Amino acid sequence: MPPSLFSLMLVVFGLTTGEFVIAGILPDVAADLGVSVPAAGRLVSAYALGMIVGGPVVTVLTARVPRKPLVTGLIAVSVLGNLGSALAPNYPVLLAARFAAGLVVATFFAVAIATAASTAPAGRESSTIAKVALGLNLGIVLGAPLGTVIGQTLGWRATFGAVAALTAAGLLMVLRFVPALPAAATGPLWGELRVFAGRDVRLAIALTALGNVGVVTVFTYIAPLLTEVSGFPEGAVPALLLVYGAGAVAGNFLGGRLSDRALMPSLAWLLGALAGALALFWAVGGVRPLAAVMTFALGLLAFAILPGMQTRVLTTAGAAPTLAVAVNASGFQVAAAFAGWLGGTLIGDGPGPRSLFPVAAALTVAGLAVAVRIHRGDRAAVPAGAGSG
């Protein structure tokens, strides 16, 4: 792997760890700051809201900034946001720091994904995107479990400090190895925003939001689910996050290959399988060995759907792929923000943590319905030569 690509992948690893590690240290953060677990879960929503706002706003405002200064600036903001999280004296400041750290993530991911897709051989866009997303998978496989171990050993503040240090190392490598790149856009702003006038782009973004909200709800509260529903000791959570991450790596590459062959049919089948896995987890989650197997299955299916969803946005976005992918990332974070609220409500004021599984399955079925609608529309458009994958 070229040093420039490795540098960007390392940053993706750091950003992903910073986003997902909260799942493993949620009870520790809640206990230390004197808030409930549902309230601590809203830290996920704060990060997600940062990405929701930052995705379109930061991408539009920086569309004419040369890529290398833009990328280094985005990484620097992330480092400061994670440092602020480590040093936050109270819950409101931590909420603000998580929001700030999330502001730049969607734009950074969009630049990386759009660049990878533009260099991919014809017909292999999904598998190329899957390779770029390896840093995201490693953030789940290694970053989240290691961050959880650091948090349980040295305190949750050390976790965010480690994320800041890792991302800063990525920044240094980017400064050293990533070449100067031109700005993503040179035309008028309206030309960039006009991409969202297309129904196919809007449906693709809706697919990302609805297709992910269920499994993100479960993952946000995976630590209390594994300890309170499945009966695992707290010390087993890092190992189970590693199991989830191993599934994520396998699912990422599986989803990329399947999407290259048949984009929308594979997405529909994968979403159906994900809904079924969530329902099955509800049924067998109280049996530890089966819960461990289902943790792997959820990781596999949750990440198998992502390459195809990104490819769908890119193939419908036309001349503004970076902005479209950034807004799509924001769509994913709409799901994450809603997931933090929904899961907290079900746990704190509702029927309890086990209810997350059937609710998540039902939400995933809604995403499946969107995928089926898109596929039917594509098939109907083929005779007129208007199919887009």
Side-chain angles (χ1 to χ4, degrees):
M1 182 182 297
S4 59
L5 183 58
F6 179 82
S7 302
L8 294 174
M9 190 190 73
L10 179 62
V11 175
V12 171
F13 173 66
L15 296 180
T16 303
T17 301
E19 177 177 5
F20 286 101
V21 74
I22 189 71
I25 59 174
L26 204 62
D28 302 296
V29 174
D32 187 54
L33 295 180
V35 299
S36 66
V37 169
R42 294 186 178 98
L43 293 168
V44 177
S45 299
Y47 193 97
L49 286 171
M51 287 188 68
I52 292 166
V53 174
V57 173
V58 174
T59 303
V60 168
L61 293 179
T62 61
R64 290 157 187 78
V65 177
R67 297 297 91 180
K68 186 166 184 176
L70 171 60
V71 166
T72 55
L74 295 173
I75 300 170
V77 172
S78 176
V79 171
L80 292 175
N82 282 292
L83 280 176
S85 299
L87 300 174
N90 53 47
Y91 177 71
V93 174
L94 182 56
L95 273 175
R98 299 315 297 151
F99 176 82
L103 273 173
V104 299
V105 176
T107 302
F108 180 86
F109 281 173
V111 172
I113 289 172
T115 300
S118 68
T119 61
R124 297 184 61 185
E125 291 85 0
S126 291
S127 54
T128 302
I129 290 171
K131 292 176 183 177
V132 171
L134 179 60
L136 188 150
N137 299 138
L138 291 176
I140 300 294
V141 173
L142 298 176
L146 288 176
T148 300
V149 170
I150 291 172
Q152 292 177 348
T153 306
L154 302 176
W156 63 268
R157 295 180 186 278
T159 297
F160 288 120
V163 171
L166 176 66
T167 311
L171 173 58
L172 294 176
M173 291 192 67
V174 166
L175 289 170
R176 172 67 178 83
F177 294 112
V178 173
L181 299 170
T186 56
L189 178 61
W190 171 246
E192 292 284 301
L193 297 175
R194 193 167 50 194
V195 66
F196 300 111
R199 183 181 68 92
D200 287 345
V201 173
R202 297 196 303 270
L203 278 175
I205 293 171
L207 174 63
T208 296
L210 286 174
N212 284 284
V213 64
V215 72
V216 172
T217 300
V218 169
F219 184 78
T220 298
Y221 294 93
I222 193 69
L225 284 171
L226 291 171
T227 55
E228 296 178 26
V229 175
S230 301
F232 287 102
E234 184 178 326
V237 172
L240 289 165
L241 287 175
L242 185 63
V243 170
Y244 183 96
V249 170
N252 180 59
F253 289 106
L254 173 65
R257 289 181 178 273
L258 291 176
S259 296
D260 281 342
R261 294 179 181 179
L263 179 57
M264 291 313 304
S266 68
L267 272 176
W269 281 107
L270 288 169
L271 283 166
L274 178 57
L278 288 163
L280 184 59
F281 209 150
W282 170 80
V284 304
V287 182
R288 288 189 191 180
L290 295 179
V293 172
M294 293 312 302
T295 298
F296 176 87
L298 283 190
L300 186 148
L301 293 168
F303 280 79
I305 63 177
L306 294 181
M309 288 178 172
Q310 296 286 8
T311 301
R312 179 67 189 184
V313 172
L314 285 168
T315 56
T316 58
T322 302
L323 178 58
V325 172
V327 173
N328 191 56
S330 294
F332 181 91
Q333 296 306 319
V334 169
F338 180 72
W341 171 83
L342 175 63
T345 300
L346 290 172
I347 292 174
D349 303 320
R354 192 171 183 178
S355 65
L356 266 62
F357 293 115
V359 171
L363 290 169
T364 306
V365 170
L368 170 60
V370 175
V372 170
R373 178 183 175 184
I374 292 173
H375 180 48
R376 288 178 176 173
D378 288 351
R379 291 182 64 183
V382 167
S388 57

